[in-house]
Amino acid sequence: MKNIIIHLIATLMITTTHPTALSATPTTTDTIPAQHGYSKVNGINMYYEIYGEGQPLVLVHGGGSTIQSNFETIIPMLAQSRKIIAVELESHGRTGDRPKELTFEQDADDVAALLKNLKIEKADFLGFSNGGTTTMQIAIRHPEIVNKIILGSALCKRDGVPPPFWGFMEHATLDNMPQELKTAYLKVNPDPAGLKRMHDKDASRMVHFKDIPDEQIKSITAPTLIIIGDKDLITPEHAVYMQRLIKNSELAIIPCGHGEYLGIKISPTSDGKEAAYVVPMMEKFLNKTN
């Protein structure tokens, strides 16, 4: 259990087919057209990337992550038919930070403000891990901008993860953060002090995490797809609980670990192949008209 928690923790705290998706030389975000920019959002400069054309889909990454470390595999797949707006949240990657603690509510407000700056009135949202919790807050606090949401490994209650998680978080150090996430951060922002600040803020946010009240979760009216892995850090019971609270929701449990269904390689045995069938499933959900 300890090894699983150490390996998965950062992506939570801090983490029709597409024939080219799994080729020997896969398409990446570096090889497809994109717009890159910053927008002044509630006092910080928020970094974003835009790919493709069509119905907007906003990607919200997990803790300790960047756009690429969470969504490198699936952006080229999704951008074939949709306008992808990928963001980096406060203190993460290329986005600035504030001299105060991180909150999911503030992240939600920041994403809403960014879309207003980009003149996008309404969008679909895909949030992973901490980004899934942020996406829930977007649907709660800003329902007017939400069409549909996909919650990947989202946490809304403290009992949604095994109890050892919380003890680990109380003693989390940068040394325990997966090297892949540290490398991804430093690739886009070569600032070791910023990396530690991000880690410490993400860890503190999880230590102080409070349950989202049932009434707020029930207030989500947007059609919702909940996804977890059967070997996820999030328990199946938690995913079922969320699915029962959110009236217009569906649940998919994929045979994989935390985030592997998005092509995130969390261990040497990960191959990311789950994304080849999960992305079409997500697209089918997003394209449904009822």
Side-chain angles (χ1 to χ4, degrees), residues 38 66 88 91-95 181-198:
Y38 290 85
T66 64
E88 287 180 346
S91 302
H92 291 74
R94 289 150 280 203
T95 292
L181 294 184
K182 291 189 278 190
T183 299
Y185 178 96
L186 293 172
K187 181 178 180 180
V188 300
N189 184 2
D191 177 13
L195 172 63
K196 185 176 188 306
R197 186 164 56 248
M198 174 193 68

PDB file of all heavy atoms in Angstrom, residues 38 66 88 91-95 181-198:
ATOM      1  N   TYR A  38      -0.771  33.829 -22.217  1.00  0.00           N
ATOM      2  CA  TYR A  38      -1.023  34.131 -20.814  1.00  0.00           C
ATOM      3  C   TYR A  38      -2.194  35.103 -20.739  1.00  0.00           C
ATOM      4  O   TYR A  38      -2.387  35.925 -21.631  1.00  0.00           O
ATOM      5  CB  TYR A  38       0.197  34.781 -20.159  1.00  0.00           C
ATOM      6  CG  TYR A  38       1.382  33.866 -19.970  1.00  0.00           C
ATOM      7  CD1 TYR A  38       2.303  33.670 -20.996  1.00  0.00           C
ATOM      8  CD2 TYR A  38       1.583  33.212 -18.755  1.00  0.00           C
ATOM      9  CE1 TYR A  38       3.395  32.834 -20.815  1.00  0.00           C
ATOM     10  CE2 TYR A  38       2.679  32.380 -18.570  1.00  0.00           C
ATOM     11  CZ  TYR A  38       3.581  32.200 -19.598  1.00  0.00           C
ATOM     12  OH  TYR A  38       4.668  31.374 -19.416  1.00  0.00           O
ATOM     13  N   THR A  66       1.608  19.564 -15.092  1.00  0.00           N
ATOM     14  CA  THR A  66       1.543  20.559 -16.166  1.00  0.00           C
ATOM     15  C   THR A  66       0.544  20.052 -17.207  1.00  0.00           C
ATOM     16  O   THR A  66       0.041  18.924 -17.109  1.00  0.00           O
ATOM     17  CB  THR A  66       2.914  20.748 -16.833  1.00  0.00           C
ATOM     18  OG1 THR A  66       3.290  19.512 -17.474  1.00  0.00           O
ATOM     19  CG2 THR A  66       3.990  21.123 -15.813  1.00  0.00           C
ATOM     20  N   GLU A  88      -2.946  25.799 -17.117  1.00  0.00           N
ATOM     21  CA  GLU A  88      -2.106  25.475 -15.970  1.00  0.00           C
ATOM     22  C   GLU A  88      -2.567  26.346 -14.811  1.00  0.00           C
ATOM     23  O   GLU A  88      -2.629  27.578 -14.929  1.00  0.00           O
ATOM     24  CB  GLU A  88      -0.621  25.663 -16.290  1.00  0.00           C
ATOM     25  CG  GLU A  88      -0.135  24.547 -17.200  1.00  0.00           C
ATOM     26  CD  GLU A  88       1.312  24.597 -17.596  1.00  0.00           C
ATOM     27  OE1 GLU A  88       1.964  25.654 -17.395  1.00  0.00           O
ATOM     28  OE2 GLU A  88       1.808  23.596 -18.142  1.00  0.00           O
ATOM     29  N   SER A  91       0.312  28.416  -9.463  1.00  0.00           N
ATOM     30  CA  SER A  91       1.540  27.820  -8.932  1.00  0.00           C
ATOM     31  C   SER A  91       2.049  26.637  -9.744  1.00  0.00           C
ATOM     32  O   SER A  91       3.115  26.092  -9.438  1.00  0.00           O
ATOM     33  CB  SER A  91       1.369  27.373  -7.474  1.00  0.00           C
ATOM     34  OG  SER A  91       0.994  28.444  -6.655  1.00  0.00           O
ATOM     35  N   HIS A  92       1.337  26.219 -10.759  1.00  0.00           N
ATOM     36  CA  HIS A  92       1.719  25.056 -11.550  1.00  0.00           C
ATOM     37  C   HIS A  92       2.308  25.475 -12.890  1.00  0.00           C
ATOM     38  O   HIS A  92       1.787  26.369 -13.561  1.00  0.00           O
ATOM     39  CB  HIS A  92       0.515  24.140 -11.771  1.00  0.00           C
ATOM     40  CG  HIS A  92       0.060  23.452 -10.527  1.00  0.00           C
ATOM     41  ND1 HIS A  92      -0.615  24.110  -9.528  1.00  0.00           N
ATOM     42  CD2 HIS A  92       0.208  22.172 -10.102  1.00  0.00           C
ATOM     43  CE1 HIS A  92      -0.871  23.260  -8.538  1.00  0.00           C
ATOM     44  NE2 HIS A  92      -0.395  22.079  -8.866  1.00  0.00           N
ATOM     45  N   GLY A  93       3.386  24.807 -13.277  1.00  0.00           N
ATOM     46  CA  GLY A  93       3.978  25.050 -14.581  1.00  0.00           C
ATOM     47  C   GLY A  93       4.328  26.496 -14.815  1.00  0.00           C
ATOM     48  O   GLY A  93       5.075  27.112 -14.055  1.00  0.00           O
ATOM     49  N   ARG A  94       3.715  27.079 -15.836  1.00  0.00           N
ATOM     50  CA  ARG A  94       4.064  28.438 -16.253  1.00  0.00           C
ATOM     51  C   ARG A  94       3.163  29.510 -15.659  1.00  0.00           C
ATOM     52  O   ARG A  94       3.341  30.707 -15.946  1.00  0.00           O
ATOM     53  CB  ARG A  94       3.994  28.488 -17.787  1.00  0.00           C
ATOM     54  CG  ARG A  94       5.133  27.723 -18.444  1.00  0.00           C
ATOM     55  CD  ARG A  94       4.781  27.132 -19.793  1.00  0.00           C
ATOM     56  NE  ARG A  94       4.013  25.882 -19.651  1.00  0.00           N
ATOM     57  CZ  ARG A  94       3.944  24.924 -20.588  1.00  0.00           C
ATOM     58  NH1 ARG A  94       4.608  25.077 -21.714  1.00  0.00           N
ATOM     59  NH2 ARG A  94       3.229  23.832 -20.381  1.00  0.00           N
ATOM     60  N   THR A  95       2.195  29.131 -14.829  1.00  0.00           N
ATOM     61  CA  THR A  95       1.264  30.096 -14.243  1.00  0.00           C
ATOM     62  C   THR A  95       1.805  30.634 -12.927  1.00  0.00           C
ATOM     63  O   THR A  95       2.425  29.898 -12.149  1.00  0.00           O
ATOM     64  CB  THR A  95      -0.114  29.433 -14.026  1.00  0.00           C
ATOM     65  OG1 THR A  95      -0.682  29.155 -15.315  1.00  0.00           O
ATOM     66  CG2 THR A  95      -1.065  30.347 -13.263  1.00  0.00           C
ATOM     67  N   LEU A 181       7.138  14.039 -12.632  1.00  0.00           N
ATOM     68  CA  LEU A 181       6.430  15.302 -12.458  1.00  0.00           C
ATOM     69  C   LEU A 181       7.397  16.451 -12.180  1.00  0.00           C
ATOM     70  O   LEU A 181       7.187  17.573 -12.651  1.00  0.00           O
ATOM     71  CB  LEU A 181       5.401  15.185 -11.334  1.00  0.00           C
ATOM     72  CG  LEU A 181       4.231  14.234 -11.584  1.00  0.00           C
ATOM     73  CD1 LEU A 181       3.243  14.305 -10.434  1.00  0.00           C
ATOM     74  CD2 LEU A 181       3.532  14.554 -12.898  1.00  0.00           C
ATOM     75  N   LYS A 182       8.458  16.170 -11.428  1.00  0.00           N
ATOM     76  CA  LYS A 182       9.464  17.212 -11.196  1.00  0.00           C
ATOM     77  C   LYS A 182      10.141  17.603 -12.506  1.00  0.00           C
ATOM     78  O   LYS A 182      10.344  18.795 -12.783  1.00  0.00           O
ATOM     79  CB  LYS A 182      10.492  16.725 -10.171  1.00  0.00           C
ATOM     80  CG  LYS A 182       9.935  16.589  -8.768  1.00  0.00           C
ATOM     81  CD  LYS A 182      11.005  16.312  -7.730  1.00  0.00           C
ATOM     82  CE  LYS A 182      11.383  14.872  -7.683  1.00  0.00           C
ATOM     83  NZ  LYS A 182      12.244  14.559  -6.506  1.00  0.00           N
ATOM     84  N   THR A 183      10.456  16.612 -13.314  1.00  0.00           N
ATOM     85  CA  THR A 183      11.093  16.890 -14.607  1.00  0.00           C
ATOM     86  C   THR A 183      10.163  17.689 -15.512  1.00  0.00           C
ATOM     87  O   THR A 183      10.590  18.631 -16.188  1.00  0.00           O
ATOM     88  CB  THR A 183      11.494  15.573 -15.290  1.00  0.00           C
ATOM     89  OG1 THR A 183      12.438  14.879 -14.463  1.00  0.00           O
ATOM     90  CG2 THR A 183      12.103  15.823 -16.661  1.00  0.00           C
ATOM     91  N   ALA A 184       8.878  17.325 -15.524  1.00  0.00           N
ATOM     92  CA  ALA A 184       7.911  18.030 -16.374  1.00  0.00           C
ATOM     93  C   ALA A 184       7.781  19.491 -15.951  1.00  0.00           C
ATOM     94  O   ALA A 184       7.696  20.386 -16.804  1.00  0.00           O
ATOM     95  CB  ALA A 184       6.554  17.337 -16.306  1.00  0.00           C
ATOM     96  N   TYR A 185       7.748  19.755 -14.652  1.00  0.00           N
ATOM     97  CA  TYR A 185       7.664  21.140 -14.176  1.00  0.00           C
ATOM     98  C   TYR A 185       8.904  21.927 -14.603  1.00  0.00           C
ATOM     99  O   TYR A 185       8.788  23.027 -15.168  1.00  0.00           O
ATOM    100  CB  TYR A 185       7.533  21.171 -12.653  1.00  0.00           C
ATOM    101  CG  TYR A 185       7.499  22.575 -12.072  1.00  0.00           C
ATOM    102  CD1 TYR A 185       6.288  23.196 -11.787  1.00  0.00           C
ATOM    103  CD2 TYR A 185       8.666  23.291 -11.840  1.00  0.00           C
ATOM    104  CE1 TYR A 185       6.244  24.489 -11.278  1.00  0.00           C
ATOM    105  CE2 TYR A 185       8.645  24.582 -11.331  1.00  0.00           C
ATOM    106  CZ  TYR A 185       7.435  25.174 -11.051  1.00  0.00           C
ATOM    107  OH  TYR A 185       7.402  26.456 -10.546  1.00  0.00           O
ATOM    108  N   LEU A 186      10.086  21.376 -14.337  1.00  0.00           N
ATOM    109  CA  LEU A 186      11.323  22.102 -14.620  1.00  0.00           C
ATOM    110  C   LEU A 186      11.552  22.286 -16.123  1.00  0.00           C
ATOM    111  O   LEU A 186      12.243  23.214 -16.537  1.00  0.00           O
ATOM    112  CB  LEU A 186      12.503  21.374 -13.989  1.00  0.00           C
ATOM    113  CG  LEU A 186      12.495  21.383 -12.448  1.00  0.00           C
ATOM    114  CD1 LEU A 186      13.591  20.468 -11.905  1.00  0.00           C
ATOM    115  CD2 LEU A 186      12.661  22.798 -11.905  1.00  0.00           C
ATOM    116  N   LYS A 187      10.949  21.424 -16.930  1.00  0.00           N
ATOM    117  CA  LYS A 187      11.072  21.579 -18.386  1.00  0.00           C
ATOM    118  C   LYS A 187      10.403  22.857 -18.852  1.00  0.00           C
ATOM    119  O   LYS A 187      10.900  23.539 -19.771  1.00  0.00           O
ATOM    120  CB  LYS A 187      10.452  20.372 -19.090  1.00  0.00           C
ATOM    121  CG  LYS A 187      10.559  20.436 -20.606  1.00  0.00           C
ATOM    122  CD  LYS A 187       9.977  19.188 -21.249  1.00  0.00           C
ATOM    123  CE  LYS A 187      10.078  19.255 -22.772  1.00  0.00           C
ATOM    124  NZ  LYS A 187       9.510  18.025 -23.414  1.00  0.00           N
ATOM    125  N   VAL A 188       9.284  23.233 -18.257  1.00  0.00           N
ATOM    126  CA  VAL A 188       8.551  24.425 -18.691  1.00  0.00           C
ATOM    127  C   VAL A 188       8.822  25.632 -17.801  1.00  0.00           C
ATOM    128  O   VAL A 188       8.530  26.766 -18.176  1.00  0.00           O
ATOM    129  CB  VAL A 188       7.032  24.154 -18.757  1.00  0.00           C
ATOM    130  CG1 VAL A 188       6.740  23.024 -19.746  1.00  0.00           C
ATOM    131  CG2 VAL A 188       6.449  23.835 -17.394  1.00  0.00           C
ATOM    132  N   ASN A 189       9.364  25.387 -16.617  1.00  0.00           N
ATOM    133  CA  ASN A 189       9.658  26.472 -15.678  1.00  0.00           C
ATOM    134  C   ASN A 189      10.886  26.074 -14.857  1.00  0.00           C
ATOM    135  O   ASN A 189      10.757  25.479 -13.795  1.00  0.00           O
ATOM    136  CB  ASN A 189       8.459  26.720 -14.762  1.00  0.00           C
ATOM    137  CG  ASN A 189       8.670  27.914 -13.831  1.00  0.00           C
ATOM    138  OD1 ASN A 189       9.694  28.586 -13.895  1.00  0.00           O
ATOM    139  ND2 ASN A 189       7.719  28.164 -12.965  1.00  0.00           N
ATOM    140  N   PRO A 190      12.095  26.397 -15.343  1.00  0.00           N
ATOM    141  CA  PRO A 190      13.324  25.947 -14.680  1.00  0.00           C
ATOM    142  C   PRO A 190      13.604  26.718 -13.387  1.00  0.00           C
ATOM    143  O   PRO A 190      14.602  27.448 -13.271  1.00  0.00           O
ATOM    144  CB  PRO A 190      14.397  26.195 -15.742  1.00  0.00           C
ATOM    145  CG  PRO A 190      13.872  27.324 -16.558  1.00  0.00           C
ATOM    146  CD  PRO A 190      12.371  27.129 -16.596  1.00  0.00           C
ATOM    147  N   ASP A 191      12.743  26.553 -12.422  1.00  0.00           N
ATOM    148  CA  ASP A 191      12.821  27.285 -11.157  1.00  0.00           C
ATOM    149  C   ASP A 191      12.647  26.299 -10.011  1.00  0.00           C
ATOM    150  O   ASP A 191      11.515  25.991  -9.614  1.00  0.00           O
ATOM    151  CB  ASP A 191      11.730  28.366 -11.113  1.00  0.00           C
ATOM    152  CG  ASP A 191      11.690  29.118  -9.793  1.00  0.00           C
ATOM    153  OD1 ASP A 191      12.652  28.990  -8.998  1.00  0.00           O
ATOM    154  OD2 ASP A 191      10.695  29.814  -9.540  1.00  0.00           O
ATOM    155  N   PRO A 192      13.729  25.766  -9.440  1.00  0.00           N
ATOM    156  CA  PRO A 192      13.608  24.793  -8.344  1.00  0.00           C
ATOM    157  C   PRO A 192      12.819  25.319  -7.155  1.00  0.00           C
ATOM    158  O   PRO A 192      12.090  24.564  -6.509  1.00  0.00           O
ATOM    159  CB  PRO A 192      15.073  24.507  -7.972  1.00  0.00           C
ATOM    160  CG  PRO A 192      15.849  24.811  -9.218  1.00  0.00           C
ATOM    161  CD  PRO A 192      15.137  25.970  -9.845  1.00  0.00           C
ATOM    162  N   ALA A 193      12.944  26.610  -6.864  1.00  0.00           N
ATOM    163  CA  ALA A 193      12.184  27.186  -5.751  1.00  0.00           C
ATOM    164  C   ALA A 193      10.691  27.163  -6.058  1.00  0.00           C
ATOM    165  O   ALA A 193       9.863  26.908  -5.171  1.00  0.00           O
ATOM    166  CB  ALA A 193      12.653  28.610  -5.470  1.00  0.00           C
ATOM    167  N   GLY A 194      10.329  27.422  -7.312  1.00  0.00           N
ATOM    168  CA  GLY A 194       8.927  27.360  -7.709  1.00  0.00           C
ATOM    169  C   GLY A 194       8.391  25.947  -7.627  1.00  0.00           C
ATOM    170  O   GLY A 194       7.232  25.727  -7.239  1.00  0.00           O
ATOM    171  N   LEU A 195       9.217  24.966  -7.988  1.00  0.00           N
ATOM    172  CA  LEU A 195       8.817  23.573  -7.886  1.00  0.00           C
ATOM    173  C   LEU A 195       8.501  23.204  -6.437  1.00  0.00           C
ATOM    174  O   LEU A 195       7.451  22.594  -6.153  1.00  0.00           O
ATOM    175  CB  LEU A 195       9.936  22.670  -8.419  1.00  0.00           C
ATOM    176  CG  LEU A 195       9.764  21.171  -8.213  1.00  0.00           C
ATOM    177  CD1 LEU A 195       8.535  20.650  -8.945  1.00  0.00           C
ATOM    178  CD2 LEU A 195      11.021  20.424  -8.668  1.00  0.00           C
ATOM    179  N   LYS A 196       9.368  23.578  -5.525  1.00  0.00           N
ATOM    180  CA  LYS A 196       9.121  23.266  -4.117  1.00  0.00           C
ATOM    181  C   LYS A 196       7.890  23.998  -3.590  1.00  0.00           C
ATOM    182  O   LYS A 196       7.098  23.432  -2.825  1.00  0.00           O
ATOM    183  CB  LYS A 196      10.335  23.631  -3.260  1.00  0.00           C
ATOM    184  CG  LYS A 196      10.178  23.202  -1.804  1.00  0.00           C
ATOM    185  CD  LYS A 196      11.418  23.474  -0.999  1.00  0.00           C
ATOM    186  CE  LYS A 196      11.296  22.859   0.400  1.00  0.00           C
ATOM    187  NZ  LYS A 196      10.108  23.268   1.134  1.00  0.00           N
ATOM    188  N   ARG A 197       7.729  25.246  -4.013  1.00  0.00           N
ATOM    189  CA  ARG A 197       6.560  26.010  -3.573  1.00  0.00           C
ATOM    190  C   ARG A 197       5.271  25.338  -4.051  1.00  0.00           C
ATOM    191  O   ARG A 197       4.310  25.214  -3.289  1.00  0.00           O
ATOM    192  CB  ARG A 197       6.662  27.437  -4.100  1.00  0.00           C
ATOM    193  CG  ARG A 197       5.592  28.379  -3.590  1.00  0.00           C
ATOM    194  CD  ARG A 197       5.995  29.827  -3.830  1.00  0.00           C
ATOM    195  NE  ARG A 197       6.296  30.110  -5.226  1.00  0.00           N
ATOM    196  CZ  ARG A 197       7.526  30.407  -5.683  1.00  0.00           C
ATOM    197  NH1 ARG A 197       8.563  30.432  -4.864  1.00  0.00           N
ATOM    198  NH2 ARG A 197       7.713  30.653  -6.968  1.00  0.00           N
ATOM    199  N   MET A 198       5.260  24.894  -5.309  1.00  0.00           N
ATOM    200  CA  MET A 198       4.086  24.198  -5.828  1.00  0.00           C
ATOM    201  C   MET A 198       3.818  22.936  -5.012  1.00  0.00           C
ATOM    202  O   MET A 198       2.684  22.680  -4.588  1.00  0.00           O
ATOM    203  CB  MET A 198       4.286  23.821  -7.297  1.00  0.00           C
ATOM    204  CG  MET A 198       3.161  22.960  -7.868  1.00  0.00           C
ATOM    205  SD  MET A 198       3.568  22.205  -9.475  1.00  0.00           S
ATOM    206  CE  MET A 198       4.856  21.038  -8.984  1.00  0.00           C
TER     207      MET A 198
END
